[in-house]
Amino acid sequence: MMLVVDKPAGLPAHRGPKGGANLEETFGALRFGLPRDPALAHRLDRDTSGCLVLGRHHKALEKLGLLFRQGRVGKRYVALVEGGPAQEEGLIDLPLARLDPSRGWRMKADPSGRPAQTRWRVIGRGEGVSLLELSPLTGRTHQLRVHCAALGFPIVGDPVYGAAGAHPLQLHARSVEIPLYKNRDAVKVEAPVPPHMRAALADFGLEDAV
């Protein structure tokens, strides 16, 4: 019913209006005997790496879509952020809305926006940075990036909600946990931290944090 691929950073998951290389154009190699290509069950930003879930056929996509909408898919990210929170763990409960409702995909914190919640905990601290584990309880566009920036610790390398620098966006979808079948344990998949993020962690003395 399902495939989980380890998406590389810097490659869009799906075809955009401007065209160009994307992960979706490779799905023909992932049929494994089925007549149609698998399809995306959710999205990751172009510069986010890690676990990306695909449904292998229409029935699977319907089921996966329902699980994601109901918030039953466990998602765990790791993010290297500038500065960091004073506490060791917490919950961000901050509604989000489009910056311009008529166009674009940029988001902003907005009390009248759609509910958005993210659990977080610190898993390492370095010189001027922190390594966080982020678990989104909702699935809003750019949720983790906007939530971190709104609380004063933007994700390192985020040119939209933070500041571009020596490192690309340091956000990785580390694992997913999907209750795909009744009366069975949830399917758990984990993607290793990619080389570009390990390099950044090493620069801040956090190479052993994950």
Side-chain angles (χ1 to χ4, degrees), residues 173-190:
R174 184 70 182 272
S175 67
V176 289
E177 188 170 332
I178 304 173
L180 193 58
Y181 304 107
K182 290 183 179 179
N183 305 317
R184 294 194 205 176
D185 292 340
V187 177
K188 300 177 183 178
V189 183
E190 183 169 308

Side-chain angles (χ1 to χ4, degrees), residues 25-201:
E25 68 185 5
T26 71
F27 288 175
L30 299 176
R31 291 186 179 185
F32 299 112
L34 294 187
R36 294 185 177 85
D37 296 353
L40 296 164
H42 68 131
R43 299 286 191 271
L44 289 178
D45 293 345
R46 180 190 66 186
D47 294 322
T48 301
S49 58
C51 293
L52 182 67
V53 180
L54 313 180
R56 298 192 66 202
H57 47 71
H58 182 70
K59 183 178 178 181
L61 284 167
E62 283 189 342
K63 181 163 189 174
L64 288 166
L66 182 61
L67 291 173
F68 275 103
R69 288 193 300 274
Q70 292 176 337
R72 295 174 60 195
V73 176
K75 294 173 285 184
R76 187 165 59 95
Y77 292 71
V78 287
L80 185 65
V81 302
E82 299 174 19
Q87 298 80 19
E88 294 303 308
E89 61 182 30
L91 172 68
I92 303 171
D93 187 357
L94 192 62
L96 301 178
R98 290 193 181 276
L99 186 64
D100 182 346
S102 65
R103 59 186 293 274
W105 39 259
R106 292 188 61 172
M107 305 295 286
K108 64 177 180 178
D110 186 336
S112 62
R114 300 179 69 187
Q117 294 183 317
T118 302
R119 293 196 184 280
W120 60 268
R121 72 180 182 93
V122 177
I123 54 179
R125 294 187 189 270
E127 185 64 35
V129 298
S130 298
L131 185 64
L132 305 183
E133 179 183 279
L134 302 171
S135 299
L137 305 183
T138 50
R140 309 302 177 213
T141 299
H142 292 180
Q143 176 174 317
L144 302 182
R145 296 165 66 180
V146 179
H147 271 177
C148 287
L151 267 67
F153 42 91
I155 297 174
V156 170
D158 189 339
V160 177
Y161 303 104
H167 299 288
L169 182 72
Q170 298 295 301
L171 179 62
H172 175 64
R174 184 70 182 272
S175 67
V176 289
E177 188 170 332
I178 304 173
L180 193 58
Y181 304 107
K182 290 183 179 179
N183 305 317
R184 294 194 205 176
D185 292 340
V187 177
K188 300 177 183 178
V189 183
E190 183 169 308
V193 174
H196 78 277
M197 194 166 190
R198 289 208 172 274
L201 293 174

